[in-house]
Amino acid sequence: MEELRASDPSWIGGYRLLGRLGAGGMGAVYLGRTALGALAAVKVILPEHAGDAEFRLRFRREAAAARRVDSPWAVRVTGSGTEDERPWLATEFVPGPTLFEVVARCGPLPARSVRVLGRLLARALASVHAAGLIHRDVKPGNVLLAADGPRLIDFGVARVTDATALTAADLVVGTPGFLAPEQAARGAFAVGPAGDVFSLGCLLAYAATGRPPFGSGAVDALLYRTVHEAPDLDGADDPELRALLTSLLDKDPAARPTAAALDARITEDVPNGSVDWLPEDVVRLIAERSAATLALPGTDATLADTPEPQTPAPSRRGLLLLAGAGAVAVAGGGTFAVREWLRDDETQGAGSAGPRTWAIGVHADLSGPRAAIGRAQERGVRIAVDRFNSRADKPFTLRVKAIDDRGDAAAGTRAAERFTRDRDVLAVVGPTDDPVTTAVLGTYDEAMLPIVTVSSQQLAFPVRSMRSFFQAVPSDAALAFPVSVRLVLRPDVRRLGVLVDRAGGQAAYLAGYFLNRIVIGSTDGTTYPRVVPAGTRDLSPVVDDLLAHRSDAFFHAGDPAGAARAATALAATSYTGPRMAMHTTIGARFLADAGAAAEGWEFVAPWIGATAPAVKEFAAAHREKYGDAPAPWAAEAYDAAGLVLTALRALARKNRPPARSALVAKIATVTYRGVSRTYAFGEDYRLKGQAGHLHGVRDGAFRYLGPAPEAKS
């Protein structure tokens, strides 16, 4: 939700407006609250349309018809002002993510989930059609997922069945890729209830496969494929679901089932208030979004002369602690037999004979699957602390306390509890990976212990309290910006082929999804995306298809083995254009599997190379202390510690460290110029900017090529 703008009204029809939910060509949609506390989505028409008598007549008819829609799976109209100076329409507010967002973040839904979704949305459409309306814009962005089921929203382009005289005959209304072939070919007059059913089929195909059934890209190409080509249903492997989708996507409107008939055809049980029809990560996302309503503004505050607090009040994110703490309590509850390795610098410990020392924690995977990253980060922090202790003006001496979580979430929670109980620990760098970070956020947050991660790149974490969590690394979504600049903003490229290999997990899917979206929305280029199931061995047909669709740049989102297969398949063709893959591909596996085909591939990574001029001094210190060059992520951990230490020096007095909450507030406002990038954080404590680093295979080895190009907007 965006903040209100100066030109926005504060009240509409008894609703206090809290913020902007979105805007379009007809008006803006606000989140509103009644005097009794009920939330609503309030659509307010733009002044230029409000003065159009014909528009008002249509709006009046559609508002009256929308009130007749009676379904638990379609949002209810809660109020309207069709005769007001600024016409408006209010519907119930559902604090859930859209289906579009769910699939983008969590991947395609299982077959059962798609069938339940189809049955409930069919009931919603049946109610819409029974009210004499045609929705005309059934798409993933117009379906919200709540704990008890989906909601069909946005009747803003709905049309009363007998009101055709009020719409231009040649107008194509709807969203390309999700509209019916008769609508694409003949315009608005061709739209009937069967068109909504076709759009529902597109929506369900998207939910099942993760992509629109007629692809993406230029509008004219989309409309052509919708009218003339068969839908792409690869990935919808369940026979019953595939048969359903095929019938919904029939080119002949008369051959499609009605929305009412679908309720009997789809036999999947409805949820009846349960969330067991959805995958666990989707349920967490819904819970997160529902909990966010706790952070909405309340009633207008009463002004009073009160003293300014000495420490900042918790941000709105802090109000989400209740939801997050419960999840962490479950993850950390019970007893278990694990060995945790505690590594302290005992020579400067608090129990030694010398003056008291405080600690910087390193929470890392030091012996598990990402141990190489964890050890590199520990080394970076130790060098930063050495530098701090060497200063004559240091306010006190620091030590490093490192705990190994072995890449295990349960062990990670225990490690977080040990750090938070130790009052000598002032801040923590880590954890190494996303699952452990997800598990421990609530523990650190409750103690207000600052935690700075440089390698947990997840776009959004299910636990969103995060009052003390700083994500000091660009997400893979942010790195898609410099990738698009490198691949598309060049004279020899018009279309980017994007191959998403599901073997790379959610990170690969999101990288491909955001790159596709950025290219289409921010450049003059087009894309041709393909998604292949995990385990696909032969990528030659997919690569041939990408090239057949005139892809003159290539991006692979997946794991190193898949990237090597893609490189080998691409090398067997005459293709000579630019090619890139995710930074997770960088490593010996890719070079060994791809061989000569690896030459020329490039990668945008969040970590800097050891040969970069900016890390020369740090690399020398690393060689002196450890005998070798710094590994990836070491410089970033060195910077994270430097950021914390800079904030500490600004706050601390001789032998008196600052309170943890004060250190959190200071880190949030510091701009720190590190060796790998400049660190500054937004209100959500995420790293500002897209700062990435360009690496490539040159002469059979990975080389650091310099800073990655940043998008200008």
Side-chain angles (χ1 to χ4, degrees):
M1 182 175 71
E2 298 179 8
E3 292 184 358
L4 293 175
R5 302 174 184 174
S7 58
D8 289 330
S10 299
W11 292 83
I12 284 286
Y15 292 90
R16 179 198 172 199
L17 304 186
L18 306 178
R20 278 177 165 248
L21 295 174
M26 293 298 174
V29 182
Y30 302 93
L31 178 60
R33 174 181 275 146
T34 68
L36 296 178
L39 296 173
V42 185
K43 186 165 191 174
V44 182
I45 301 303
L46 291 172
E48 53 264 37
H49 299 299
D52 185 335
E54 187 174 288
F55 179 90
R56 274 188 177 271
L57 175 59
R58 183 170 72 248
F59 185 76
R60 191 180 305 121
R61 287 183 177 179
E62 292 169 357
R67 284 183 175 277
R68 299 197 299 268
V69 176
D70 183 19
S71 171
W73 316 118
V75 292
R76 295 180 299 105
V77 173
T78 59
S80 64
T82 59
E83 307 306 322
D84 289 7
E85 181 180 356
R86 293 279 301 275
W88 57 274
L89 181 73
T91 61
E92 64 176 322
F93 175 69
V94 180
T98 66
L99 177 63
F100 178 83
E101 182 182 358
V102 164
V103 174
R105 290 174 59 172
C106 305
L109 299 179
R112 186 202 170 209
S113 300
V114 178
R115 287 195 294 268
V116 171
L117 184 68
R119 187 172 195 184
L120 299 184
L121 291 179
R123 291 181 178 180
L125 278 179
S127 180
V128 169
H129 297 162
L133 279 171
I134 304 166
H135 190 284
R136 298 201 299 179
D137 201 19
V138 178
K139 62 181 180 182
N142 278 340
V143 171
L144 296 172
L145 294 186
D148 58 347
R151 300 291 192 280
L152 181 64
I153 66 170
D154 195 0
F155 298 92
V157 295
R159 177 170 61 81
V160 179
T161 309
D162 61 358
T164 56
L166 299 177
T167 306
D170 59 351
L171 180 64
V172 175
V173 178
T175 301
F178 293 93
L179 48 75
E182 61 270 22
Q183 187 176 358
R186 300 194 300 277
F189 276 1
V191 182
D196 282 347
V197 171
F198 187 93
S199 297
L200 176 63
C202 294
L203 177 149
L204 296 178
Y206 172 82
T209 67
R211 63 187 184 280
F214 298 100
S216 58
V219 172
D220 55 349
L222 264 177
L223 297 179
Y224 179 88
R225 290 195 293 270
T226 300
V227 174
H228 299 288
E229 295 184 5
D232 175 11
L233 299 179
D234 287 350
D237 300 324
D238 179 85
E240 179 185 346
L241 177 59
R242 194 179 183 94
L244 172 66
L245 296 177
T246 301
S247 66
L248 297 179
L249 296 174
D250 198 296
K251 303 292 187 189
D252 181 5
R256 300 170 205 150
T258 65
L262 285 173
D263 188 31
R265 173 170 176 173
I266 304 174
T267 58
E268 196 65 61
D269 291 337
V270 298
N272 289 326
S274 167
V275 294
D276 66 351
W277 65 286
L278 287 170
E280 182 179 349
D281 53 349
V282 177
V283 175
R284 286 198 302 267
L285 181 59
I286 292 172
E288 165 199 331
R289 196 60 49 84
S290 298
T293 58
L294 297 174
L296 294 172
T299 56
D300 292 326
T302 301
L303 298 178
D305 293 329
T306 55
E308 184 176 345
Q310 296 301 306
T311 57
S315 65
R316 290 182 182 178
R317 315 185 279 169
L319 297 175
L320 307 187
L321 175 62
L322 292 176
V328 174
V330 172
T335 59
F336 50 91
V338 297
R339 183 179 181 188
E340 293 175 343
W341 297 91
L342 174 62
R343 309 197 306 175
D344 291 332
D345 287 346
E346 299 297 348
T347 57
Q348 293 183 327
S352 65
R356 181 178 182 182
T357 60
W358 286 272
I360 296 294
V362 176
H363 183 160
D365 178 357
L366 300 173
S367 61
R370 303 190 80 190
I373 296 175
R375 289 193 296 269
Q377 292 181 5
E378 182 192 1
R379 288 181 170 189
V381 173
R382 290 186 180 276
I383 292 173
V385 170
D386 286 348
R387 181 181 178 186
F388 177 89
N389 288 335
S390 69
R391 299 179 64 107
D393 62 346
K394 63 181 180 294
F396 42 73
T397 301
L398 285 172
R399 61 189 173 93
V400 175
K401 178 175 182 174
I403 300 181
D404 179 13
D405 63 31
R406 300 179 290 105
D408 177 77
T413 301
R414 290 286 295 273
E417 290 170 350
R418 293 176 70 175
F419 276 128
T420 57
R421 287 196 301 265
D422 186 344
R423 301 307 301 178
D424 288 346
V425 175
L426 305 179
V428 174
V429 176
T432 309
D433 59 7
D434 293 331
V436 175
T437 300
T438 298
V440 303
L441 284 185
T443 302
Y444 284 113
D445 184 63
E446 186 173 7
M448 279 301 285
L449 177 60
I451 173 174
V452 183
T453 183
V454 297
S455 56
S456 293
Q457 292 183 264
Q458 190 167 302
L459 180 61
F461 288 89
V463 180
R464 293 292 291 173
S465 47
M466 292 173 35
R467 292 185 303 167
S468 64
F469 172 61
F470 296 88
Q471 192 174 14
V473 58
S475 67
D476 284 315
L479 292 180
F481 283 96
V483 169
S484 69
V485 174
R486 182 71 174 176
L487 285 178
V488 179
L489 296 186
R490 47 196 296 165
D492 57 334
V493 171
R494 294 178 59 85
R495 174 169 291 179
L496 172 65
V498 181
L499 196 166
V500 177
D501 189 335
R502 296 298 302 200
Q506 184 174 340
Y509 187 85
L510 288 176
Y513 164 76
F514 278 103
L515 178 59
N516 181 72
R517 186 172 182 179
I518 288 166
V519 170
I520 295 174
S522 304
T523 77
D524 293 331
T526 61
T527 63
Y528 183 69
R530 286 290 306 271
V531 180
V532 298
T536 303
R537 304 294 302 177
D538 184 8
L539 294 179
S540 297
V542 183
V543 169
D544 290 342
D545 180 56
L546 288 165
L547 299 182
H549 283 81
R550 304 185 304 281
S551 298
D552 36 28
F554 186 91
F555 183 80
H556 179 272
D559 63 353
R565 288 193 290 270
T568 302
L570 201 60
T573 71
S574 60
Y575 178 81
T576 59
R579 74 276 326 256
M580 297 187 79
M582 294 178 65
H583 64 87
T584 50
T585 298
I586 299 176
R589 172 72 181 271
F590 177 71
L591 293 179
D593 289 356
E599 191 67 25
W601 278 73
E602 293 182 349
F603 318 85
V604 171
W607 42 266
I608 195 169
T611 60
V615 303
K616 182 178 180 180
E617 183 180 340
F618 166 70
H622 193 283
R623 289 188 180 91
E624 181 179 353
K625 187 175 181 70
Y626 295 107
D628 56 7
W633 302 105
E636 287 69 31
Y638 174 78
D639 282 346
L643 166 72
V644 171
L645 297 173
T646 298
L648 268 176
R649 289 186 66 248
L651 294 174
R653 286 180 275 179
K654 191 69 174 178
N655 292 323
R656 288 186 62 189
R660 288 173 171 179
S661 59
L663 185 56
V664 168
K666 189 63 178 178
I667 294 172
T669 60
V670 165
T671 297
Y672 178 73
R673 300 189 183 280
V675 299
S676 61
R677 61 173 56 87
T678 296
Y679 291 82
F681 300 95
E683 291 183 1
D684 56 357
Y685 293 2
R686 292 182 186 276
L687 184 69
K688 291 182 179 179
Q690 316 149 11
H693 298 279
L694 189 64
H695 303 255
V697 179
R698 301 291 187 268
D699 299 323
F702 290 106
R703 312 286 183 187
Y704 178 66
L705 304 181
E710 290 199 36
K712 294 181 179 180
S713 62

